């Protein structure tokens, strides 16, 4: 794209924003900037001062810096670091403290001097916090100020822990965490109630003093707040928007995080666009929403008054455009997610043959399948397809301790009643381990195994509601999950090998999967990466040439109308079946998916989303359904 076309498209952006196809590419760019500065300073015998963030966002950047240290000799001997924040009340060796995080993710793998690394003191006594924060600011000044500051962004718009209400003058201080921020941290702390309520954070003013700022963001969950920070007014309700005041700040983000920027979302509003079929579909569906009209009721005036006059000129009339998009949208609807046998399939999302199909549903954790496509699984099974649901990870990290304790008591009592010593002994061992690890300690392998088995039981019971037999379920227990913790997972060849084995055994005709566009360190995104790597290994297999891929969005959100390629309506009864299936996941009652969306009761979220999609179809003037599950076609070979 030419410079002038790009600046036309980005005219609403108040912060330089670079969009990358993947987080790794963005990290390579930022790592280049950091390494160049460190090398220059090292050659001049001078220090480099870095401001660092924690959370999942910078993990890949740190991995790249570690790689450069280990493989390319990048030396951190003269580097001085200041972290943005620390939970108040946590000691540096607490598993969830930011000091611990930095040691694990970066400091322990490079040649930085321990005395050169600074993280706010989470244990400063309440009466000393003010002085301790002041000293932190002073230490930054004494080091010569921050050369490069790395930031992530929270869904509240926070940078560091500067929650809404923080002004551009704010300095390092003790703050109260927003409830959304605490909910986002709930998985790490195994429950929202364990997440600290306060933190010490550099202020927005402290951040703005850095000479260069890079903000990184990945995944669709960050998209709304990013657009507000970049294109919205400077406001205390989105503290990141104050980065607009900085003269040398760059946002480096992936495509999913950029998806709400005007240049991605409504490019036709800011400049000329190429009206290919995808752009036409997106814009006409947007117009119908904007004007609150059914597709076939859009008029020439609607088009001209909403910045789409050039499309109208190109296509002649609203009438033609409306009909085209109406038809495309109607053709997404099917009651036959596996294809309708012996029917004309020229306008159906799935092929009629072969019939029956081998349908493979990939579920990163044991709830994703029923939550996102419980209705479709039920239908596929009822329509005679050969369905396999593969649970890619055991999901054991999401089982709360009280549920594990209940299971241990059951094993113990059963053992005692049938006088089985081995069983009783094992129950006692588990109980002892549970007591010893305390509220936030890591589970032992035995406890993880038990928790994994609890989730298997729930998955079986849920699948039974959907009329699947236990033999139709596979539990892959991918190793990356078994050896890791949230935000710190790392996949390798063993994960890919397990996936290849499954694919080659099933040889599916269609695969339902998820994870595209999500936080790259989340389980769904990692499972998706594992799938893509496995597909590369299967590239010569005949089945792959004949396999269609259907993406579901994930438990917290749904595809936008223009992204939907297959919409499967559910009757009120089918929705009930699905909800009953969801209810079998007893241990997940108080867990996310509401972590990624606010909802009074996360168990209702699936039906809320399915009903909302059905309403959209209705509002567009298509048929009226109770609920709809929807999917986007994906071409792994493209
Ligand atoms: C962490 C920090 C926070 C995070 C933000 C995003 O030191 O300052 O502002 O950057 O909460 O967290 P993740 O990266 O986990 O999405």
């Amino acid at each position: 794209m030419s410079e002038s076309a790009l600046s036309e498209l980005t005219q609403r952006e108040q912060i330089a924003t670079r969009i990358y196809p993947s987080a790794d590419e963005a990290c390579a760019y930022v790592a280049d900037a950091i390494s160049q500065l460190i090398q220059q300073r090292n050659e001049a015998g001078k220090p480099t001062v870095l401001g660092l963030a924690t959370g999942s966002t910078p993990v890949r950047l740190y991995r790249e810096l570690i790689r450069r240290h280990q493989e390319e000799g990048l030396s951190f001997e003269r580097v001085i670091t200041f972290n943005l924040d620390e939970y108040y009340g946590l000691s540096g060796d607490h598993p969830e403290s930011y000091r611990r995080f930095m040691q694990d993710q970066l400091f322990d793998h490079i040649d930085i001097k321990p005395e050169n690394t600074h993280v706010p003191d989470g244990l400063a006594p309440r009466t000393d916090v003010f002085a301790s924060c002041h000293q932190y600011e002073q230490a930054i000044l004494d080091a010569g100020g921050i050369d490069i500051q790395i930031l992530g962004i929270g869904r509240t718009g926070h940078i560091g822990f500067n929650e809404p209400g923080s002004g551009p003058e704010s300095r390092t201080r003790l703050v109260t965490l927003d409830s959304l921020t605490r909910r986002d941290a709930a998985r790490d702390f195994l429950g929202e109630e364990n997440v600290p309520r306060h933190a010490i954070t550099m202020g927005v003013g402290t951040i703005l003093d850095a000479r260069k700022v890079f903000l990184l963001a990945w995944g669709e969950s960050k998209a709304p707040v990013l657009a507000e920070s970049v294109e919205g007014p400077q406001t205390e309700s989105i503290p990141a928007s104050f980065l607009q005041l900085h003269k040398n700040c760059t946002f480096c983000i992936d495509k999913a995080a950029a998806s709400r920027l005007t240049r991605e979302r409504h490019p036709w509003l800011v400049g000329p666009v190429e009206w290919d079929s995808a752009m036409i579909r997106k814009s006409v569906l947007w117009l119908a929403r904007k004007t609150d009209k059914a597709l076939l009721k859009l008029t020439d005036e609607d088009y001209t008054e909403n910045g789409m006059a050039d499309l109208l000129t190109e296509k002649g009339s609203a009438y033609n455009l409306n009909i085209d998009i109406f038809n495309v949208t109607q053709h997404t609807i099917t009651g036959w997610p596996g294809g309708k046998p012996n029917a004309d399939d020229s306008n159906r999302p799935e092929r009629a043959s072969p019939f029956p199909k081998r349908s493979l549903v990939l579920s990163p954790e044991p709830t994703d399948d029923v939550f996102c496509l419980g209705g479709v699984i039920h239908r596929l099974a009822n329509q005679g397809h050969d369905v396999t649901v593969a649970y890619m990870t055991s999901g054991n990290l999401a089982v709360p301790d009280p549920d594990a304790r209940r299971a241990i008591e059951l094993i113990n009592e059963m053992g005692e009643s049938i006088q089985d010593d081995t069983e009783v002994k094992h129950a006692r061992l588990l109980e002892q381990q549970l007591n010893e690890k305390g509220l936030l300690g890591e589970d032992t392998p035995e406890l993880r195994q038990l928790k994994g088995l609890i989730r298997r039981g729930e998955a079986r019971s849920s699948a039974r509601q959907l009329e699947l037999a236990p033999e139709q379920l596979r539990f892959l227990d991918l190793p990356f999950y078994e050896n890791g913790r949230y935000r710190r997972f790392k996949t390798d060849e063993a994960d890919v090998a397990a996936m290849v084995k499954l694919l080659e055994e099933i040889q599916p005709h269609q695969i339902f999967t998820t994870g595209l566009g999500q936080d790259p360190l989340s389980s769904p995104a990692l499972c998706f990466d594992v799938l893509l790597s496995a597909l590369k290994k299967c590239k010569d297999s005949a089945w792959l040439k004949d396999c269609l891929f259907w993406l579901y969005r994930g438990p917290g959100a749904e595809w936008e109308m223009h992204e939907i390629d297959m919409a499967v309506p559910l009757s009120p009864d089918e929705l009930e079946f699905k909800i009953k299936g969801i209810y079998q996941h007893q241990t997940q009652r108080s867990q996310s998916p509401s972590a990624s969306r606010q909802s009074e009761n996360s168990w209702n979220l699936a039906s809320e989303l399915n009903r909302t999609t059905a309403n959209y179809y209705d509002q567009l003037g298509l048929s009226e359904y109770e609920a709809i599950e929807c999917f986007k076609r994906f071409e792994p070979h493209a």
Side-chain angles (χ1 to χ4, degrees), residues 341-542:
N342 306 319
D344 172 11
D345 59 7
S346 46
N347 282 321
R348 291 176 183 276
E350 251 299 355
R351 306 143 295 167
S353 67
F355 178 84
K357 286 195 175 59
R358 288 187 296 275
S359 307
L360 175 62
V361 174
L362 296 176
S363 183
E365 285 201 26
T367 36
D368 297 324
D369 58 333
V370 61
F371 208 91
C372 301
L373 64 158
V376 161
I377 295 173
H378 187 233
R379 261 202 189 193
L380 287 169
N382 273 297
Q383 289 172 351
H385 297 286
D386 184 2
V387 183
T388 304
V389 179
Y391 301 100
M392 299 175 79
T393 70
S394 70
N396 60 31
L397 292 172
V399 175
D401 285 350
D403 293 272
R405 194 176 292 283
R406 198 170 56 215
I408 294 169
E409 283 165 1
L410 181 74
I411 301 170
N412 189 36
E413 253 180 277
M414 177 59 81
E416 282 177 352
S417 76
I418 59 168
Q419 296 176 350
D420 181 339
D421 246 19
T422 334
E423 202 158 336
V424 172
K425 258 196 203 148
H426 194 62
R428 302 242 161 102
L429 172 77
L430 289 167
E431 189 182 5
Q432 190 192 342
Q433 291 179 345
L434 196 62
N435 294 340
E436 279 171 5
K437 89 180 177 85
L439 196 58
L440 292 175
E442 274 184 43
D443 286 341
T444 58
E446 290 84 1
L447 283 170
R448 287 190 74 151
Q449 184 198 34
L450 172 77
K451 290 183 169 184
L453 292 178
I454 293 174
R455 294 209 69 184
R456 278 192 188 195
E458 291 175 343
R460 275 191 213 101
S461 169
S462 172
R464 213 169 284 127
Q465 286 291 327
L466 306 179
E467 297 182 39
L468 294 188
E471 317 71 84
Q472 290 176 274
L473 310 184
R474 295 300 169 88
F475 297 95
L476 297 192
D477 292 351
L478 288 183
F480 84 80
Y481 187 96
E482 296 311 304
N483 305 325
R485 306 176 57 125
Y486 288 120
R487 301 175 199 253
R488 307 182 199 180
F489 296 130
K490 224 173 177 175
T491 58
D492 67 20
E493 279 309 308
D495 301 295
V496 178
M499 195 65 222
V500 170
K501 187 161 174 279
L502 177 83
L503 292 171
E504 291 296 356
E505 185 194 323
I506 307 238
Q507 310 212 345
H509 296 112
Q510 55 170 191
I511 296 182
F512 292 86
T513 185
T514 186
L516 182 71
Q518 299 197 25
D519 171 354
L521 282 188
S522 65
S523 338
L526 291 168
C527 287
F528 191 64
D529 283 350
V530 168
L531 171 68
L532 293 185
S533 308
L535 290 173
K536 279 197 191 125
K537 303 223 167 203
C538 302
K539 69 178 189 322
D540 298 324
S541 303

Side-chain angles (χ1 to χ4, degrees), residues 284 287 294-299 303 317-327:
V284 175
L287 184 64
L295 282 168
L296 296 178
K297 289 187 178 170
L298 291 170
T299 61
Y303 281 84
S317 72
Y319 183 82
N320 294 340
L321 279 161
N322 297 349
I323 295 257
D324 280 355
I325 301 307
F326 181 88
N327 287 338

Side-chain angles (χ1 to χ4, degrees), residues 293-296 326 330 615-623:
K293 284 186 171 180
L295 282 168
L296 296 178
F326 181 88
Q330 189 160 50
N615 276 339
Y616 287 157
Y617 272 81
D618 186 18
Q619 283 158 16
L620 289 172
L622 291 115
S623 311

Side-chain angles (χ1 to χ4, degrees), residues 325-345:
I325 301 307
F326 181 88
N327 287 338
V328 170
T329 313
Q330 189 160 50
H331 295 154
T332 61
I333 303 174
T334 181
W336 298 84
K340 186 171 186 182
N342 306 319
D344 172 11
D345 59 7

